[in-house]
Amino acid sequence: MIEPYQPEPGQEFPYRYTARLAGHLELGWQRAWKDAQAYRVANPGQAGFDSARPKFYCLDMFPYPSGAGLHVGHPEGYTATDIISRYKRMCGFNVLHPMGWDAFGLPAEQYAIQTGVHPAITTRAAIDNFRRQLQRFGFSYDWSREFGTIDEAYYRWTQWIFLRIYSAWYDDRAGRARPIAELVDMLEQGERRAEDDAASGGVAWKAMDAKQKRAFLDSKRLAYLGEQTVNWCPKLGTALANEEVIDGRSERGGYPVFRKPLKQWMFRITAYAERLLADLALVDWPESTRTMQAEWIGRSEGAEIDFPFVDGHFSPGQGTKLGVAGRSEAPSHASQAPLASLRVFTTRPDTIFGATFMVVAPEHRLVEHVLREKPKGMTDEAHARLREYVAAARNRSDVERQESKDKSGAALGIDVINPATGKRIPVWTADYVLIGYGHGAIMAVPAHDERDFAFAQANGLAIRDVVYPRHLAAMAFFAREAKPEQRVAERWAADLADFVGLVTSDNVAPGAFAEALETTRARRAAEGGGTAIPVDLRERGGSDATPGSVGERRGSTRIVWLDAIDDMKLHTFSDVENLFGNGGFQTHQGEAYAGQGYAVNSASAELSIDGMATEDAKQAVIRWLESSGKGKRVVNYRLRDWLFSRQRYWGEPFPLVFDSEGNHHAVSESALPVRLPELADYQPIESEDPKPLLAKATSWSRTTAAEAGVAPTPGLPALAPDAPVTRELNTMPGWAGSCWYYLRYCDPENRERFIGAEAERYWLGERGVDLYVGGAEHAVLHLLYARFWHKVLFDLGEVSSREPFAKLFHQGLITSMAFQRSDKSLVAIDEVDERPGEINADGTGAYVERATGQVVTQVIAKMSKSLKNVINPDDVIADFGADTFRLYEMAMGPLEASKPWNTRDIAGCFRFLQRLWRNLVDENTGLARVVEGQADDTTRRLLHRTIKGVRQDIESLGFNTAISKLIEFNNHLSKLEAVPSEVARMLIPLLSPFVPHLAEELWIRVFGPGGPFVAHMSYPEHREDVLVEAQIELPVQVQGKVRGRIVVPAAATPADVEAAALSDERVREWLAGKAVAKVIVIPKRMVNVVVKDA
RNA sequence: GGCCCCGUGGCGAAAUGGCAGACGCAGCGGACUUAAAAUCCGCUUCUCGGAAACGGGAGUGUGGGUUCGAGUCCCACCGGGGCCACCA
């Protein structure tokens, strides 16, 4: 039981709602909820489970428990989900609202390096502190489901899921992942032919020896050991995933990242690229996040084209460490095969006639080959230059690469044949071509690509125009069709005259162009006229969407109508103006033209696309490539396979071992978890040739097949029990644990499975988590990775939803105040004095820097230690209590908006709760001030309107407006002599999701103890009939301005309302001497009287 | 550089295309008080007229457009923020 509150002696209002009283009652109710397990929710099949209730799974992004404790950003999202959870619970849902700890990761390990304290110890301490802080907020988590990703009982299942992914392959025909055992079966049965697969090197399954079979299967796995160029961070001593590199620096710590060929565990996430993209349509997520993911996946359509070498084949030979970063292809036989041609990806196959040279990435294996064997005809000097360039490029960090986008490079001394023109073109290498995208090689079309243009200029390479720009085509059309001397403003006439000259000059193939125009116009005519484009060439601002006649006048705007050529997107004067640029129109002379247009200079004996529009030209080239075997249509993705291994300590060990021949083997399920061994020290092994930290744990890593519990690979001979094996020494990245924690909450105690099937079906269902709230900083990283794991688990039949998170919401960043000097430098808040009396007319002068007396202005800044503007939640709770804290963070503004913390504003929320308390409780005696009885009609109507509005606002996560409505209602109550019990009975539960402690306390003070928790009551529902008003007041506008008000029966017909409006005295004054053109009546809204033009 | 989002009082912010500024902070005036704090009541976009009641005009970054009616929809520009950034 709660100890009764003991007021401090001598206080004027001993039972006023003060921070002390709030703190007392909050701790009391938290204890009462805990003792009663008020927020525990049962699973299907467990005692207390109510199958009649619908479910609601409301999830927070679990925190990384840092030593610094909670900051004010955490409770923002957590309060929002708590309000929703409490609301849904009171609406009769079984609510799953859990909390846990994302506890593996770099910061704890970095701290351990400094202090020598084991990360487990510091992490456990941080978790205890976080838990204490969160519980102080009164969040309604089911703490019985709490776990950390570092718990062995948890990470054994993280390892288990890894093994499921490792033991699966992606069946392109079926479009889903399947167990690799099924692949083996199909190969054995002859349902699939290994020799059809590039990874087999053309060898049939039956013809393979055990080693070949193993290599083939390993190359098909969804988790594979890939040797490729990765992001290597020497400072952190680990490789990083693509997503963890931001602006060439590590996401954690901001250290420079280099590219390095390394053998690492990769996840074949690229196999899911299309589904990860398409299924974004299934989820209710912020548009910005869906866009970010879509852009990260980066789908582009184009063609793969082979450019044959002039001097025949190149064999890369043995011993190279440089693999081609083939996406989704494990480098195996493929990278060793001789090269007959240079393969590129392009999104602009229509520009192939303009490809005047090739560029490959410095990491491309062709470069390695040339460095080893100088091509015929290449001078020693050129060879040395190449060697120098490649060495320099390798030593450049990604930051350096990005800082100078200079177009340096070196020739390889090799030529290829442009298959379209049949001409020899040289191959160069330059680091503006990225090894990780496409094939790490491009056909360079300098006339129509800015980067290629810059490179060609810097290195004196040929430039050939093959696209006639669309805007010039448009101008030609105007010149010919629109009779400029009549219809075009004078300032354009000279430009157009020049332009007409240009189209007839030799360099732009006028015949082909004219033909293209004719084709387009003929097609448009055949399609029934086409789109007319209105252009106002005389006055600014002309715009209209409906066709009219030439030279029509509409209002003050003169419109000139012209038939359009295809898809020019000219809608306004400004669009046309932009075509010309500012000082006359631009041509593609002097810069690359990367836009669309019409093909020119693009004909050979085999293929001619002259005059075709870009889209048509692309298709024509692809058709020709495919029919002649020189290339094919492909879809390419920016997304790369996910680098999953880290050379660090504080992470999940891989459940894998290597035999003496270097083959990897899975650890069987029964041998899980593979425990993280103790280490004597956590100092990274600094080296250019990276070694994982676990290499220090030699007695752990060296073991036997039997001891490690090695599982046999389907279709292959098992290892002997006493065979010596070495454990995988890498650990999993911090993302591993967060990829599936939302699943474990559903069934955290399960020892048999990672999640019980029944619990999974009940809590996740077909749409997954109902509401997921967390920061936008995870828009690609965690949210993409978790989707990938979920989809694999879905394919393997382990979960029933395609997507893990049905609805996602990002809470905004909470910022803080700081002060800015006139030179824009920032001043810490404790170095500034406020002078309220000295405000200037322009609002400045209120704040002065103490040291200098300089006037400073208040600005919004991120919270940072140096600005002394970090807010500690513990302090705020001590000053105002948790309910006020919760209320303030929700009242600050829209949940999704970034908002500045303003300590002064908290008092407003605190005063609201004080007034609320005072309306229901006598401040002197602590006894209820509520009178038994009914409310008056006005109060009742307001109550029900408030209930309706608050419910709607909660549903749409509009907590700030919900709180405003509650304040308004409370302000109304303040005017009453006493609050009727009818009101209190509904108001208190209505408040409960926002200020749960206060609601409980008010209830027992008003209605007495002994009943259920308010948190378990039904959420109030409004009655529509109460809201109906007999009379309503409507504003009456004349010409859109409010000129009067009328009171009419709510049921009045529009005709009645019109009559009332026109007979209103004020309205009649405004209408005096004017003829009414029409009257617009919007029922229950307003009336607008439109007067005829004078 | 590309894409996206946002510009409303002194401040945080409200407003299904329909009375702009709800609610809160700060400020001003009043009540209570010996006084202050606390509390309560009132005022508070700018501007013009008026002693006042009240009335007129302007007003949601700027310029245009659509509409009976625009903070809201469309176009362009300016400013701020976010994401991506040599992705062929």
Side-chain angles (χ1 to χ4, degrees), chain A residues 489 535-542 553 555-559 573:
Chain A
V535 185
D536 176 358
L537 292 172
R538 174 141 316 169
E539 290 137 0
R540 284 193 156 267
R553 209 170 225 300
S556 62
T557 305
R558 183 185 156 88
I559 308 280
F573 181 86

Side-chain angles (χ1 to χ4, degrees), chain A residues 38-53:
Chain A
Y39 304 114
R40 189 166 184 158
V41 62
N43 269 7
Q46 289 178 341
F49 177 73
D50 183 353
S51 63
R53 291 166 176 256

Side-chain angles (χ1 to χ4, degrees), chain A residues 7 126 155-156 188 217 439 442 787 859 897 981 985 1003 1014 1019:
Chain A
Y155 77 67
R156 73 163 285 184
E188 297 283 350
L217 291 182
H439 299 278
I442 61 161
R787 292 181 66 214
V859 293
S981 58
R985 203 174 297 281
W1003 185 272
V1014 178
Y1019 207 65

Side-chain angles (χ1 to χ4, degrees), chain A residues 471 475 491-492 540 569-570 572-586:
Chain A
H471 63 270
M475 290 333 299
R491 57 178 288 218
W492 307 111
R540 284 193 156 267
K569 295 197 172 152
L570 300 178
T572 67
F573 181 86
S574 301
D575 290 338
V576 178
E577 191 179 35
N578 286 343
L579 295 181
F580 286 86
N582 291 327
F585 54 76
Q586 303 287 311

Side-chain angles (χ1 to χ4, degrees), chain A residues 326-400:
Chain A
R327 307 166 337 89
S328 78
E329 279 170 49
S332 54
H333 318 276
S335 63
Q336 303 301 320
L339 277 174
S341 56
L342 187 55
R343 178 168 290 181
V344 301
F345 171 75
T346 179
T347 55
R348 289 295 298 271
D350 60 300
T351 63
I352 188 170
F353 284 91
T356 49
F357 58 98
M358 310 290 282
V359 186
V360 301
E363 298 86 354
H364 196 277
R365 64 194 172 112
L366 184 62
V367 174
E368 187 70 6
H369 171 87
V370 170
L371 285 179
R372 207 170 43 249
E373 274 176 55
K374 185 164 72 72
K376 282 178 292 192
M378 191 184 197
T379 65
D380 288 338
E381 193 195 342
H383 200 239
R385 201 158 50 230
L386 174 67
R387 187 175 302 283
E388 204 176 302
Y389 176 77
V390 171
R394 275 188 202 160
N395 284 331
R396 260 201 326 164
S397 72
D398 281 16
V399 182
E400 290 168 312

Side-chain angles (χ1 to χ4, degrees), chain A residues 820-826 854:
Chain A
Q820 196 176 50
R821 300 189 188 94
S822 52
D823 65 354
K824 306 263 178 200
S825 59
L826 294 174
Q854 205 185 135

Side-chain angles (χ1 to χ4, degrees), chain A residues 690-755:
Chain A
K691 273 203 175 55
L693 267 176
L694 288 181
K696 295 180 178 183
T698 46
S699 63
W700 171 82
S701 70
R702 292 192 195 138
T703 179
T704 63
E707 214 176 315
V710 171
T713 306
L716 293 172
L719 278 182
D722 59 349
V725 296
T726 314
R727 292 189 188 275
E728 169 60 59
L729 300 174
N730 288 295
T731 53
M732 299 186 197
W735 310 107
S738 60
C739 275
W740 73 282
Y741 74 111
Y742 60 95
L743 295 171
R744 189 65 181 171
Y745 283 137
C746 299
D747 198 8
E749 303 294 328
N750 198 321
R751 290 164 169 273
E752 310 301 319
R753 279 181 54 77
F754 74 115
I755 180 175

